């Protein structure tokens, strides 16, 4: 059976008239009749009867029985054609802290615009959650500040960028200089961020060298977005420059460069060893 044969049969049934059915398919009546007769010959039965002198048609009993089959055949044919013409999209799932997502948003947009066959999904998480998410295969790649000291052999983790660290301080009156000496800060007023504090080698070394291994602190929060609500008067926090956007318009929050040597926060890309080859090539193209 061919598509045109089933199409002709269904058009005749729907229009209940050979002439109208031919017009709906933009073919001649003779062409439509030929398609119907060839279908009936293939099935070895008569499906439609048209009485002499009448333009309307009627279905035979075999025609009635074949009608639901024809409709199902047509639906399957449409699905097959849709499957054939539709290119399967490659899904790339990225997880990262919100500040890192902000930095890489131009890259995300470039992928979305340049790779129509790629379906991009971006979510937020803390840096220290990335390895577990990749191991669970909840994400394909993670971008963050955290690199586990006990690296899992199933993971590939590489440094792809660095972000300078700065100090956010909450005071009514800003300091005279745009640079701050960390030794002038009170550790008990510090806000620490998971993934960007002692569990991060760069930040951890900074805190230990400046304030000692048993550094007191005011509060530990999940993300930079919580700092504005948690920070007390005279409080401070060290964060990557990429995370400062939320503080730039707050009147009593001030951003300072750190007196040299200022720590540089590495940004790591983590992915699974078993990542599909197409995804690995896509990641290499846009992130390395």
């Amino acid at each position: 059976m061919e598509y045109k044969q089933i199409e002709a049969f269904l058009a005749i049934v729907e229009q209940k008239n050979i002439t109208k059915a031919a017009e709906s398919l933009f073919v001649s009546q003779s062409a439509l009749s030929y398609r119907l007769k060839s279908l009936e010959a293939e099935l070895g039965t008569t499906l439609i009867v048209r009485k002499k002198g009448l333009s309307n048609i009627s279905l035979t009993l075999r025609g009635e029985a074949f009608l639901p089959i024809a409709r199902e055949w047509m639906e399957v044919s449409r699905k097959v054609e849709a499957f054939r013409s539709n290119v399967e999209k490659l899904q790339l799932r990225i997880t990262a802290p919100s500040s890192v997502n902000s930095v890489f948003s131009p890259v995300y947009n470039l992928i979305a615009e340049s790779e129509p066959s790629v379906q991009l999904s971006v979510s937020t998480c803390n840096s220290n959650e990335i390895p577990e998410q990749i191991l669970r295969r909840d994400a394909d790649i993670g971008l963050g500040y955290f690199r586990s000291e006990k690296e899992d052999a199933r993971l590939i983790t590489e440094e792809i960028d660095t972000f300078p660290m700065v100090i956010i301080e909450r005071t009514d009156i800003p300091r005279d200089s745009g640079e701050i000496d960390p030794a002038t800060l009170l550790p008990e007023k510090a806000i620490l961020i998971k993934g960007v504090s002692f569990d991060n080698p760069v930040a951890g070394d900074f805190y230990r060298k400046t304030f000692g291994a048993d550094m007191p602190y005011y509060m530990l929060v999940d993300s930079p977005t919580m700092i504005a609500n948690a920070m007390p008067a005279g409080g401070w926090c060290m964060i990557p420059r990429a995370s400062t956007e939320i503080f730039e318009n707050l009147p009593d929050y001030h951003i300072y460069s750190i007196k040299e040597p200022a720590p540089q926060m590495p940004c790591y890309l983590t992915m699974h060893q078993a990542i599909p080859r197409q995804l690995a090539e896509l990641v290499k193209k846009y992130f390395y």
Side-chain angles (χ1 to χ4, degrees):
M1 284 182 290
E2 297 180 359
Y3 180 90
K4 289 183 178 181
Q5 294 172 319
I6 303 297
E7 180 186 50
F9 172 69
L10 291 176
I12 294 170
V13 172
E14 182 179 346
Q15 298 294 334
K16 296 182 174 59
N17 183 287
I18 296 288
T19 302
K20 291 181 179 180
E23 290 174 352
S24 70
L25 297 179
F26 302 99
V27 298
S28 64
Q29 290 185 47
S30 59
L32 186 72
S33 296
Y34 174 79
R35 293 177 186 178
L36 175 61
K37 288 185 180 298
S38 64
L39 175 63
E40 290 177 327
E42 188 171 336
L43 294 174
T45 189
T46 300
L47 301 174
I48 288 176
V49 175
R50 183 172 64 174
K51 295 181 181 179
K52 292 183 178 181
L54 297 176
S55 58
N56 290 342
I57 61 91
S58 61
L59 287 171
T60 64
L61 290 177
R62 295 290 286 167
E64 292 281 3
F66 182 68
L67 180 58
I69 297 174
R71 286 171 173 160
E72 184 178 349
W73 190 98
M74 184 64 76
E75 181 63 23
V76 171
S77 178
R78 291 194 185 103
K79 289 180 179 179
V80 170
E81 183 58 32
F83 177 83
R84 183 187 295 118
S85 60
N86 183 36
V87 178
E88 184 178 357
K89 285 186 175 290
L90 185 68
Q91 188 177 37
L92 176 61
R93 300 166 301 164
I94 301 172
T95 187
S98 57
S99 58
V100 178
N101 279 331
S102 297
V103 172
F104 284 97
S105 59
V107 180
Y108 302 162
N109 290 331
L110 181 61
I111 294 173
E113 293 169 2
S114 306
E115 307 288 344
S117 63
V118 175
Q119 189 174 45
L120 192 62
S121 173
V122 180
S123 60
T124 59
C125 71
N126 294 322
S127 289
N128 56 343
E129 297 171 350
I130 288 174
E132 189 60 33
Q133 288 203 28
I134 301 300
L135 287 172
R136 292 199 311 263
R137 311 309 292 269
D138 290 337
D140 299 303
I141 67 169
L143 303 168
Y145 308 121
F146 181 77
R147 182 170 193 160
S148 175
E149 294 181 0
K150 297 180 179 178
E151 292 188 14
D152 193 298
R154 293 170 292 176
L155 298 179
I156 301 171
T157 302
E158 298 182 76
E159 182 180 325
I160 60 170
D161 206 344
T162 56
F163 303 142
M165 301 297 285
V166 297
I167 297 293
I168 304 292
E169 186 178 35
R170 184 179 185 183
T171 56
D172 294 333
I173 302 174
R175 296 176 182 243
D176 295 333
S177 172
E179 185 180 74
I180 197 167
D181 183 350
T184 65
L185 297 169
L186 297 175
E188 61 269 21
K189 291 284 190 176
I191 300 287
L192 303 184
I193 309 169
K194 290 182 180 179
V196 196
S197 55
F198 284 103
D199 49 359
N200 182 282
V202 173
D205 286 346
F206 169 82
Y207 290 127
R208 280 187 286 270
K209 289 178 181 178
T210 308
F211 304 106
D214 297 323
M215 170 190 171
Y217 57 87
Y218 181 76
M219 189 181 296
L220 180 67
V221 298
D222 280 340
S223 69
T225 56
M226 298 180 63
I227 297 172
N229 294 326
M231 189 177 291
W236 62 275
C237 182
M238 184 176 72
I239 62 174
R241 170 67 73 178
S243 304
T244 61
E245 184 178 355
I246 58 176
F247 303 100
E248 290 174 354
N249 296 319
L250 298 177
D252 53 346
Y253 287 80
H254 311 288
I255 304 170
Y256 299 100
S257 299
I258 300 174
K259 184 178 179 180
E260 295 294 340
Q264 300 286 319
M265 180 66 72
C267 180
Y268 298 102
L269 186 149
T270 301
M271 59 184 176
H272 203 283
Q273 288 275 10
I275 190 172
R277 179 183 56 81
Q278 287 178 290
L279 283 183
E281 291 176 353
L282 189 71
V283 171
K284 182 178 179 181
K285 178 179 179 180
Y286 286 98
F287 292 96
Y288 288 92

